[in-house]
Amino acid sequence: FKGEQPPLGPTHPFEIAFAQAQKIYGENKLEDAAKGVTALLANDLQPQLRSQAHDLAGWIQVKLGNGRPALDHFAQVQGLTVAPQAVAAAFSLIGDDARALPLWEQAAAAAPSDATVRHELAGTFIRNRQPAKGLALPNVKPALAYLDVIHRVRQATHLPVAAYNVSGEYAMVKAAAEKGWIDGDRVMME
């Protein structure tokens, strides 16, 4: 009828299945989301939906720690832009930090306030033997940038392994208190 509102949201069964997989992914139920998107990809999908499903499948594989399958899915995406941090993470997962580095740089330039991207970029610089560049990034906490190194050390020993960050603000308060300029305890509790 003239003036009738079109239905809202997905209407085709495949679109509904994709929306459900996205919802499950958003709930961080990665194994269930992977099953749903895999079942969806077994069908004859329209190119746009197939690309969206491969993009989602790639993200799921990244979050599951599976770099190679993630790259395989991202390679199937056509007509859509795959987020550079997704491809960078997949390359990092397979140990190809040389390919990951320019993608992390691209992601950091696009989202300079994204702390996760900044820390991944810092870690990639460190793994590429450029620690000064990684630690020079704004608001990068060195211990977080070295988490992969800390993990490897922990796997190699039965001794306790730890790292901690001292914020610049804490260091300034401690230094000012030592010089008697402020009451350090009162300022810390403020």
Side-chain angles (χ1 to χ4, degrees):
F1 297 106
K2 191 173 186 175
E4 188 175 309
Q5 291 282 349
L8 298 176
T11 57
H12 190 278
F14 294 156
E15 292 173 336
I16 294 168
F18 177 72
Q20 183 64 27
Q22 281 183 307
K23 180 179 181 285
I24 294 169
Y25 170 77
E27 295 168 354
N28 209 30
K29 298 176 185 173
L30 301 176
E31 295 292 342
D32 292 338
K35 287 176 189 173
V37 79
T38 299
L40 180 63
L41 284 167
N43 294 291
D44 184 23
L45 304 175
Q46 293 294 321
Q48 174 80 15
L49 185 57
R50 178 165 292 284
S51 287
Q52 290 173 318
H54 275 296
D55 187 57
L56 178 59
W59 273 105
I60 292 167
Q61 291 303 315
V62 163
K63 297 237 178 176
L64 289 171
N66 302 322
R68 182 76 258 163
L71 288 169
D72 292 343
H73 282 293
F74 292 141
Q76 298 297 317
V77 175
Q78 298 175 4
L80 301 174
T81 301
V82 177
Q85 63 266 35
V87 181
F91 278 126
S92 291
L93 284 168
I94 65 169
D96 193 344
D97 285 314
R99 285 175 139 171
L101 183 58
L103 293 163
W104 283 124
E105 289 176 316
Q106 182 183 352
S113 63
D114 187 327
T116 301
V117 169
R118 261 196 327 273
H119 279 92
E120 290 295 339
L121 175 58
T124 305
F125 273 127
I126 290 165
R127 290 187 299 275
N128 276 327
R129 294 175 172 72
Q130 301 174 53
K133 284 185 176 181
L135 298 176
L137 294 170
N139 299 318
V140 168
K141 295 171 176 53
L144 294 180
Y146 278 96
L147 284 179
D148 62 323
V149 175
I150 294 165
H151 177 72
R152 289 182 195 148
V153 170
R154 179 63 188 106
Q155 288 180 321
T157 183
H158 294 293
L159 299 172
V161 177
Y164 67 96
N165 291 304
V166 177
S167 72
E169 294 85 359
Y170 178 81
M172 287 187 291
V173 167
K174 292 305 273 184
E178 286 175 8
K179 293 183 183 216
W181 295 347
I182 62 169
D183 178 350
D185 292 334
R186 189 175 61 77
V187 171
M188 285 300 294
M189 299 322 284
E190 191 173 293

